[in-house]
């Protein structure tokens, strides 16, 4: 049976299960970072020390995530056993993550808080790396766009339940922090039933070693372009979303109390846009077959949204800019993952897709520092007269979004509907 038919027989529930894994995995990290750690450190330290301690914990956790994704993705590529390549790391990640989140809830020192958070980041990112690689193993070329869209959207949806529960039960955040990890155990347990297949590298009789080497080199170059596109878009979005609350205070309301709901609605608009953009953009890309127009539309869309935010003086303008930026980023993330799954070398999906996640994590670490510096450029905000120059900050976001377009020539060939080179991709598969 041709490989496309074999893969096509994978039921839709495989994609739904892996999307659910992504949802509960990222959700498991949400309550600890927004509530548990800040409250723990506030109880353990004087007021003038808690911010620095929290920044240290978050930085070390981000560093752990940077290491974890490619490391455990590469390990899953090399794993052999009755459970397959990906499933042991998915299960081990959620079990270990549950243990570390329990340790965080019981932590009674700053060192224990930081160590527990770093351990949780390592473990949960192992699960996410393995589930992303298993998604790449399980879907056909025609399914990649829609599957990537659903998988990407699920990650953002996963942050909503712990945020809502933390707001509703502020005195019980330690208990809330166990909700998503416990659910993760159930979801990953169900995902252990997903059949794994071991790819076997195809070597057509007419394809010599030089053709294979050229195909692999072309795939590596395309992956670098995909990585850079994801990095540029994530950096642009992080800049565009930075310091929203302060923007609202300085330009629109004048005080934090009335600014908070405006900023929260903007965040909700952006998150909703990401979810809708990922699902709709990914599905549309699957049906259309080519990804290049979606990359171009996403870059231009985010640049436009950032420009509107740079001059926004009303909540409605801010909300529209946030929604448009979210749509652009959601679309970009979905088609980026779909194209990455196309160009990664066979048998190394875990390592390469783990590196792809690094492109999304690095901006989250460095952009806040860069954004703070950009606010100090010039003589202050030209619209509100405030000391912080929001126009420069969001103009920089627009420029970075346009920079992502520079990668399009490099990914043009890979994004064409007939770009998959049989010499560089697996032709048959065998059960794990």
């Amino acid at each position: 049976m041709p490989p496309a038919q074999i893969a096509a027989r994978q039921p839709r529930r495989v994609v739904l299960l892996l999307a659910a894994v992504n949802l509960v995995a990222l959700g498991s990290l949400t309550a600890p970072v927004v509530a548990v750690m800040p409250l723990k450190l506030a109880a353990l330290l004087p007021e003038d020390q808690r911010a620095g301690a929290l920044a240290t914990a978050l930085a070390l956790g981000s560093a752990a995530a940077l290491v974890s994704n490619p490391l455990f993705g590469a390990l899953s590529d090399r794993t052999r056993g009755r459970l397959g390549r990906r499933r042991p790391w998915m299960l081990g990640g959620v079990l270990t993550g549950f243990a570390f989140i329990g340790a965080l809830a019981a932590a009674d020192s700053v060192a224990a808080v930081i160590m527990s958070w770093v351990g949780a980041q390592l473990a949960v990112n192992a699960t996410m790396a393995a589930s992303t690689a298993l998604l790449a193993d399980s879907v056909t070329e025609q399914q990649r766009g829609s599957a990537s869209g659903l998988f990407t959207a699920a990650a953002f949806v996963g942050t909503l339940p712990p945020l809502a529960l933390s707001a509703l039960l502020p005195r019980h955040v330690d208990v809330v922090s166990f909700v998503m990890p416990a659910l993760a155990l159930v979801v990953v347990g169900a995902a252990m039933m997903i059949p794994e297949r071991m790819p076997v590298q195809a070597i057509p009789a007419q394809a010599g070693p030089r053709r294979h080497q050229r195909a692999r080199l072309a795939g590596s170059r395309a992956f670098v372009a995909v990585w850079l596109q994801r990095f540029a878009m994530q950096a642009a979005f992080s800049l565009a979303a930075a310091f929203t609350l302060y923007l609202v205070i300085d330009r629109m309301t004048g005080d934090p109390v009335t600014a908070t709901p405006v900023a929260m609605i903007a965040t909700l608009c952006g998150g909703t846009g990401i979810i809708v953009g990922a699902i709709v953009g990914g599905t549309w890309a699957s049906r259309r077959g080519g990804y290049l127009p979606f990359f171009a539309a996403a870059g231009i869309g985010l640049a436009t949204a950032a420009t509107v935010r740079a001059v926004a003086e009303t909540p409605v303008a801010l909300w529209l800019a946030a929604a448009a930026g979210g749509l652009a980023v959601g679309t970009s993330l979905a088609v980026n993952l779909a194209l990455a799954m196309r160009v990664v070398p066979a048998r190394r999906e875990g390592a390469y897709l783990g590196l792809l996640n690094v492109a999304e994590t690095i901006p989250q670490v460095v952009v806040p520092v860069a954004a703070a510096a950009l606010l100090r450029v010039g003589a202050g905000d030209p619209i509100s007269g405030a000391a912080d120059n929001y126009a420069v900050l969001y103009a920089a976001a627009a420029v970075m979004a346009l920079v992502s377009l520079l990668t399009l020539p490099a990914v043009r060939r890979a994004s064409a509907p007939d770009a998959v080179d049989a010499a560089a991709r697996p032709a048959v598969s065998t059960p794990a």
Side-chain angles (χ1 to χ4, degrees):
M1 182 181 295
Q5 293 183 17
I6 295 175
R9 287 193 170 188
Q10 292 283 356
R12 182 172 175 79
R13 70 177 183 85
V14 170
V15 175
L16 293 174
L17 269 175
L18 291 174
V21 170
N22 209 28
L23 186 154
V24 294
L26 191 60
S28 296
L29 298 175
T30 302
V33 76
V34 301
V36 178
M37 281 200 302
L39 291 175
K40 286 277 184 183
L41 294 174
L44 291 168
L45 293 170
E47 185 175 348
D48 61 340
Q49 297 180 24
R50 61 190 183 188
L54 180 60
T56 299
L58 294 176
L60 291 175
S62 297
L66 288 174
V67 173
S68 181
N69 259 289
L71 172 63
F72 290 107
L75 289 173
S76 74
D77 288 338
R78 292 164 173 77
T79 299
R80 301 293 181 269
R82 296 181 63 182
L83 289 179
R85 297 189 296 168
R86 318 298 185 190
R87 291 175 297 190
W89 298 102
M90 286 169 51
L91 181 60
V94 294
L95 288 171
T96 308
F98 188 94
F100 274 115
I101 289 170
L104 178 61
D108 57 1
S109 69
V110 174
V113 169
I114 293 176
M115 291 176 62
S116 298
W117 176 240
V118 169
Q121 282 275 23
L122 285 169
V124 174
N125 275 277
T127 294
M128 291 192 286
S131 63
T132 305
L134 184 53
L135 181 72
D137 296 340
S138 302
V139 298
T140 65
E141 169 64 24
Q142 291 74 24
Q143 296 168 331
R144 283 176 183 151
S146 57
S148 297
L150 186 61
F151 190 78
T152 299
F156 291 91
V157 174
T159 64
L160 300 180
L163 287 173
L165 288 172
S166 297
L168 291 172
L169 303 170
R171 297 181 183 276
H172 303 284
V173 292
D174 283 346
V175 176
V176 168
S177 69
F178 283 100
V179 172
M180 295 301 282
L183 187 58
L185 295 176
V186 176
V187 172
V188 172
M192 295 298 288
M193 304 303 295
I194 296 175
E196 285 198 35
R197 294 188 175 274
M198 295 287 294
V200 178
Q201 187 73 19
I203 306 179
Q206 72 274 18
R210 289 187 178 180
R211 181 181 171 186
H212 284 286
Q213 186 175 7
R214 289 196 299 269
R216 292 191 183 96
L217 182 59
S220 296
R221 289 173 176 170
F223 178 79
V224 170
V226 170
W227 193 97
L228 290 173
Q229 191 274 340
R230 193 180 190 93
F231 175 86
M233 284 294 287
Q234 183 61 48
F237 182 68
S238 297
L239 285 170
F243 301 109
T244 298
L245 179 61
Y246 296 157
L247 169 73
V248 176
I249 293 172
D250 288 342
R251 284 191 182 177
M252 302 173 193
T253 68
D255 69 273
V257 175
T258 54
T260 300
V262 174
M264 289 183 65
I265 293 173
T267 301
L268 180 61
C269 289
T272 303
I274 290 174
I275 294 169
V276 173
I279 294 175
V280 175
T283 301
W284 192 6
S286 277
R287 292 176 180 175
R288 191 181 185 280
Y291 301 142
L292 196 66
F294 296 90
F295 284 123
I300 295 170
L302 182 54
T304 302
T307 302
V308 172
R309 189 182 286 246
V311 298
E313 297 183 73
T314 65
V316 172
L318 175 63
W319 297 337
L320 290 174
L327 284 169
V329 171
T331 300
S332 174
L333 289 173
V335 296
N336 182 279
L337 177 58
L339 183 56
M341 290 192 294
R342 174 187 287 182
V343 302
V344 295
R347 292 184 175 270
R348 300 189 66 187
E349 294 89 349
Y352 273 71
L353 294 177
L355 285 172
L356 186 70
N357 286 334
V358 171
E360 194 172 343
T361 306
I362 291 177
Q364 297 173 10
V365 178
V366 302
V367 162
V369 178
L374 286 168
L375 286 176
R376 296 301 176 183
V377 173
D381 187 47
I383 294 177
S384 66
D388 292 328
N389 196 335
Y390 301 103
V392 167
L393 172 62
Y394 301 130
V399 170
M400 182 59 70
L402 294 176
V403 166
S404 74
L405 301 179
L406 297 178
T407 64
L408 296 190
V411 302
R412 182 175 183 179
R413 183 176 180 180
S415 65
D418 58 350
V420 180
D421 191 328
R425 304 299 305 154
V428 295
S429 58
T430 56

